Amino acid sequence: MGCGRVGAMLATQLDASGHSVAVIDTNQDAFRRLGSDFSGRRVTGQGFDRDALTQAGIEDAYSFAAVSSGDNSNIIAARVVREVFGVRHVVARIYDPRRAEVFQRLGITTVATVRWTTDQVIRRMLPMGGATEFLDASGRITLTALPAPDVWIGRELTELIDDTGVHIAFLTRLGKGMMPTSDTVIQEQDVLHFLSPKDDAAQLERAIAKGPKGDAS
C-alpha cells in the first residue's frame, strides 16, 4: 500500500527478485514510478478498503507493507490485513516514532522513517532467512538477524541454544533490544540476533529452522 518513492522501490525490488507483487494507491498517476518493467498488479483505491485489498489478491498474500504518507492510513490498513485477512507478516511505516511501540504491542511490525531502509522492510516482510547486520573487519565474523521460526515459539531460548549451538547476542522484542537470560522464552515476532563465523551462518539458520530436536519425527 502506497506507491511513493519507498513503495515503488520496494515493489520494483521484490518484482525483480521474482515475487508476485500488487501495489495499491489512491492516485493512479503514482504507478508511473514503477516503470515499464514492473509485472505486478496496480490497484487504484484505499489500502484499507476490503474490495481494493481483495482485488490486489490479499487472500493469497504472504506479506503486506503499508508505506503510504499517513500514519493512520498505514495502521488501519495493517490491522485490517492482519486481523481480517490473517496475513502474518505485516509491516507499517510510522512517521511518529513515539507511536511505534504502541502499534508493536498490537502485533504490527513498525519501521520509523529515521531508521528506514528498503532492506529493513523486506527483511520483515519476507522472514525466510537471516540478514547480515554486521561483519567484522576481517570478514570472518557476522551478526545475523533471524525472525524466530514458528516451531520455537513458546520454547525456552536455552533449548534452542543447546540444540543448535548458536550464540545468541540479543533479541529484538516489540521493537526493543533485550539481553536474554536463562529464563527467556521465545515469543511470536521475536528477532534472534546471533554471532557466528560467516561461513557457518547459513548452516545455523537451517539448524534453527528445523525446530527442537525432541520434535523430530
Side-chain angles (χ1 to χ4, degrees), residues 106-186:
L106 295 174
I108 298 170
T109 299
T110 61
V111 185
T113 53
V114 294
R115 306 187 276 119
W116 181 267
T117 65
T118 55
D119 179 68
Q120 281 183 305
V121 179
I122 289 176
R123 188 167 72 233
R124 288 162 172 78
M125 288 178 68
L126 305 173
M128 299 299 290
T132 299
E133 295 191 316
F134 169 81
L135 195 64
D136 80 312
S138 70
R140 297 179 179 178
I141 304 299
T142 182
L143 176 66
T144 302
L146 182 70
D150 291 347
V151 289
W152 286 103
I153 305 304
R155 299 273 189 165
E156 291 188 355
L157 184 62
T158 52
E159 182 181 2
L160 182 149
I161 294 170
D162 291 342
D163 278 7
T164 64
V166 69
H167 181 84
I168 302 295
F170 65 98
L171 303 180
T172 297
R173 178 172 295 171
L174 298 176
K176 291 185 176 182
M178 61 173 288
M179 297 296 294
T181 68
S182 59
D183 298 325
T184 297
V185 174
I186 300 171

Side-chain angles (χ1 to χ4, degrees), residues 26-64:
T26 56
N27 181 6
Q28 191 170 7
D29 291 338
F31 298 131
R32 294 177 181 176
R33 295 188 178 95
L34 296 171
S36 58
D37 294 336
F38 181 71
S39 62
R41 303 184 197 179
R42 301 167 175 84
V43 178
T44 303
Q46 295 283 358
F48 47 79
D49 179 78
R50 296 189 186 190
D51 290 339
L53 287 166
T54 300
Q55 186 179 346
I58 196 65
E59 284 122 339
D60 299 319
Y62 178 82
S63 59
F64 178 82

